[in-house]
Amino acid sequence: MTIDTATFTPTWSEEFDAPIEWGAKWVGDRTSAYRYRDHNPDDDKLDWLDPGCVTVSDGVATFTATPAGRTLDNGRRAWRTGLLTTEYSAEGFRVRTGDHVETRVRLPSGTGAWPALWTWKDGANEVDSFEYHPDNPNLLELSNNVNPASTCHSDADAIAPDRWVTVGTTYGARSVEWYVNGERVFSDGTGVGDDWSAYPILNLSVSAGHWHPAPCGPAPITFAVGHLRVYRGAARW
């Protein structure tokens, strides 16, 4: 099964063709998904959020992670990095049951990179459109944490460091579906229920080394995004 979003008009989108609308559309200095709002050492992350780590040029947002002059609660050196969420913004946009979300990203190559598109609200409601780690260069992690289901999708032709890929997720009430470059790759058969909603989060985390390798030096890590689009009412299940 395939999906062609070119035939639809997004209900809500970020095309990265203008400066980030901090405060109005996006927030980048905090998320309730992190214990301390701007950092979260509990989750094998070295992140310390800084809106300055997300820049826009020529229709592309670049997330850049660099070593920070801060120490996390676990004694590890933090990395300044970027995150976009609609939580706490004036607009407060949320995806909901029936929506299809799509992003086009250039996967990073730097050791320690952990980019993701996911959702969060009230300590839960998490659906991971994708997570990526360069030590598994041809693999995307796809997860529904609302009604648990997950898979690892491998495709050496589509997924690789420094390669552009389009990832889509349809939040069906009874089944969440994932698409890579328009092709359906996973249908979980569990869904999110009829009344689900959550804030989208697009970010570049930095691995602390427990599950995946931490950065092996101070070189910046980058992750690029071409767009993020939401199509309302796309699901039929």
Side-chain angles (χ1 to χ4, degrees):
M1 181 177 176
T2 62
I3 189 168
D4 182 8
T5 56
T7 62
F8 302 99
T9 300
T11 302
W12 182 93
S13 71
E14 176 59 84
E15 303 297 326
F16 300 114
D17 53 4
I20 299 288
E21 296 180 55
W22 296 116
K25 189 172 186 175
W26 294 110
V27 165
D29 61 354
R30 63 195 186 280
T31 170
S32 66
Y34 284 13
R35 176 159 56 121
Y36 298 107
R37 295 298 191 260
D38 59 358
H39 64 288
N40 188 33
D42 300 336
D43 197 24
D44 197 42
K45 294 182 176 182
L46 300 178
D47 307 11
W48 202 297
L49 302 184
D50 184 342
C53 292
V54 185
T55 58
V56 172
S57 179
D58 298 326
V60 173
T62 300
F63 294 65
T64 303
T66 57
R70 296 176 179 268
T71 301
L72 297 169
D73 308 72
N74 57 13
R76 300 293 299 275
R77 181 174 65 173
W79 280 58
R80 296 171 57 246
T81 193
L83 177 147
L84 295 177
T85 179
T86 57
E87 185 182 19
Y88 306 120
S89 71
E91 185 179 284
F93 177 80
R94 294 185 299 193
V95 290
R96 66 191 190 196
T97 302
D99 287 355
H100 178 83
V101 63
E102 176 190 276
T103 188
R104 183 160 177 79
V105 301
R106 187 177 65 209
L107 299 170
S109 58
T111 301
W114 182 0
L117 171 62
W118 49 301
T119 63
W120 190 262
K121 182 169 74 75
D122 298 334
N125 286 22
E126 180 179 355
V127 176
D128 300 323
S129 287
F130 81 92
E131 297 177 81
Y132 180 74
H133 301 274
D135 56 302
N136 291 322
N138 306 126
L139 182 149
L140 295 179
E141 299 172 20
L142 319 174
S143 305
N144 176 1
N145 295 290
V146 179
N147 294 305
S150 64
T151 193
C152 293
H153 173 68
S154 297
D155 184 345
D157 293 329
I159 302 162
D162 297 319
R163 184 170 298 171
W164 284 95
V165 62
T166 300
V167 181
T169 308
T170 304
Y171 307 113
R174 292 175 294 282
S175 186
V176 177
E177 301 204 330
W178 284 261
Y179 296 80
V180 173
N181 291 336
E183 297 286 338
R184 186 173 66 184
V185 298
F186 180 49
S187 180
D188 68 13
T190 61
V192 293
D194 293 321
D195 300 320
W196 174 87
S197 69
Y199 302 102
I201 300 175
L202 181 63
N203 74 308
L204 172 62
S205 281
V206 181
S207 295
H210 182 68
W211 301 111
H212 296 272
C216 53
I221 298 169
T222 61
F223 165 58
V225 184
H227 67 250
L228 177 63
R229 298 168 182 162
V230 177
Y231 302 86
R232 182 124 292 167
R236 300 184 299 277
W237 46 87

